[in-house]
Amino acid sequence: MAGSCIIMRASVPTLWWATATPLLLLLLAGAGGGCHGAPLKAHFYRHSCPAAEAVVRDIVLARVAADPAKLPAKLLRLFFHDCFVRGCDASVLIDSTTSSTAEKDAAPNGSLGGYDVIDTAKAVLEAVCPGVVSCADVVALAARDAVSSQFGRDLWDVQLGRRDGLVSRASEALAEIPSPSDNFTTLEANFAAKGLDVKDLVILSGAHTIGVAHCNTFAARLSSSSSVSGAGDPSLNAAYAAQLRARCGPTPSAAASNNATAVPMDPGSPARFDAHYFVNLKLGRGLFASDAALLTDRRAAGMIHRLTRQEHFLEEFRNAVRKMGRVGVLTGERGEIRRNCRAVNS
């Protein structure tokens, strides 16, 4: 249902995604999950801050115009990483303190970006409507507006009314953010713990159609247990593997130590939000082990051919990202509206 919340279940800690695209606790009291108060709804700020959505859109579009190749991927990834730890509560934006290391300083979040865009939008909103618009809603709107910029229309509607979380722990980000090395069984379990199913997993993985990754995040695919020369994962297209080794280093150890060189996650269409990621998957050109893992499950593999059609992908992504945006949201009296997205209110 449009306004329903996603229930989070218990999970075994695992190491999760360290890259773009596209996201484990039981609904614990005070832990930032579940259905509290009114459900999310469209145009939540229609009366309390009528300019809210326009403010975010204008700032995001101006910044994307200056960085069209990278910023949409950064803001979409920021939204994913936020929702996969404590739900979509902007906990990823909180800075570390002398007594607590926050999510953003966990290893999987080390390459996140777009914080400055959120800061700018929030500062303007505080000047226009102080204490009204949550940082969590700004993150959700910014992701949608950035990705939609190339289309001239909204790719999905954003339901609003999230409130901001009060806790941010690096240890939780380390445990709950998907890893590019995860196999399908781990991915399915982790997504299920967020109330997301196999279909959501496959479609949200399509967020890897934009953005880049550094060589060290996929170096293991360029090697094999029987070779030190980089013979590589047999599921990886040989010609593509050769291109990656040329960029990252000729040996597995060279690639594993290369955290400076970036390569597109969707070769051939790195800056366009399109269905080309799924075309590449079928050709053995998924960059991460977690991408290739989608082909190892009959249900997931059966979805990929249809998702190579652009309009079908966009329609399905709209549904999946809206569902993800309801994971663990705080509403009603839960959480707070932060004045500064980087710190809880004093």
Side-chain angles (χ1 to χ4, degrees), residues 214-289:
H214 293 93
C215 295
N216 61 307
T217 63
F218 56 84
R221 297 201 73 203
L222 304 181
S223 64
S224 72
S225 59
S226 60
S227 172
V228 295
S229 64
D233 183 341
S235 70
L236 187 64
N237 178 282
Y240 182 41
Q243 293 172 13
L244 293 174
R245 283 193 289 272
R247 289 286 301 275
C248 295
T251 65
S253 59
S257 62
N258 186 346
N259 61 1
T261 301
V263 301
M265 291 192 290
D266 183 4
S269 180
R272 294 286 301 175
F273 193 81
D274 58 24
H276 194 253
Y277 164 83
F278 295 101
V279 175
N280 274 330
L281 272 189
K282 294 181 65 176
L283 297 174
R285 291 163 63 90
L287 185 60
F288 305 115

Side-chain angles (χ1 to χ4, degrees), residues 141-187:
L141 287 167
R144 188 273 309 276
D145 294 342
V147 173
S148 299
S149 61
Q150 67 183 256
F151 297 90
R153 61 181 175 86
D154 290 345
L155 289 185
W156 66 90
D157 64 299
V158 177
Q159 295 178 316
L160 302 168
R162 299 167 187 81
R163 287 169 65 86
D164 299 324
L166 305 174
V167 176
S168 182
R169 298 190 181 105
S171 59
E172 293 179 355
L174 188 65
E176 297 182 27
I177 294 173
S179 167
S181 62
D182 280 344
N183 61 30
F184 188 86
T185 299
T186 299
L187 289 169

Side-chain angles (χ1 to χ4, degrees), residues 49-75:
C49 188
E53 295 184 49
V55 165
V56 176
R57 186 189 307 273
D58 289 348
I59 290 169
V60 169
L61 292 183
R63 295 294 296 274
V64 168
D67 188 9
K70 295 180 181 178
L71 190 55
K74 289 179 179 179
L75 290 172

Side-chain angles (χ1 to χ4, degrees), residues 13 91 125 131 142 164 203 272 281 329 334:
S91 56
L125 289 168
D164 299 324
I203 294 163
R272 294 286 301 175
L281 272 189
V329 294
R334 301 283 290 178

